[in-house]
Amino acid sequence: NRGCYNFQFIATTHDSRLMDYGIYRSDEIWMMDFKDGVESTLYSLDCFDTFDTRGLGEKYLHGLFGAIPVIHSSNRGDVDDS
């Protein structure tokens, strides 16, 4: 069929606020959890039995879904480690 395409679009972001807009289902949000820089695990939020869509970004930043974000001070322009 011309003009009919089957495709999948995958995007990544580090902006946790996008989780709070209510446009994504739990099976559309995936996490990558790194262990000791050697091993990684990919899973969707659909894996969690009790799923409340309110405040997902905040819950993620507090580590409630695993895949805890590691923010190094060298990546933030407002921090002086001297």
Side-chain angles (χ1 to χ4, degrees):
N1 294 342
R2 288 189 143 172
C4 182
Y5 301 97
N6 292 320
F7 64 92
Q8 183 175 21
F9 180 75
I10 299 173
T12 63
T13 183
H14 291 269
D15 189 348
S16 62
R17 296 173 297 176
L18 293 174
M19 299 169 72
D20 292 334
Y21 291 134
I23 57 175
Y24 300 107
R25 298 185 318 259
S26 60
D27 64 326
E28 295 177 312
I29 299 175
W30 288 74
M31 301 286 176
M32 178 69 76
D33 196 8
F34 294 100
K35 301 286 185 192
D36 302 321
V38 178
E39 177 185 332
S40 59
T41 305
L42 179 67
Y43 55 91
S44 78
L45 291 186
D46 202 35
C47 295
F48 294 88
D49 291 331
T50 56
F51 192 78
D52 183 1
T53 59
R54 293 172 294 178
L56 289 179
E58 191 70 22
K59 292 174 185 176
Y60 162 69
L61 291 174
H62 282 96
L64 297 178
F65 305 120
I68 300 170
V70 177
I71 302 170
H72 300 283
S73 62
S74 61
N75 293 336
R76 298 184 311 200
D78 60 343
V79 176
D80 183 8
D81 289 332
S82 58

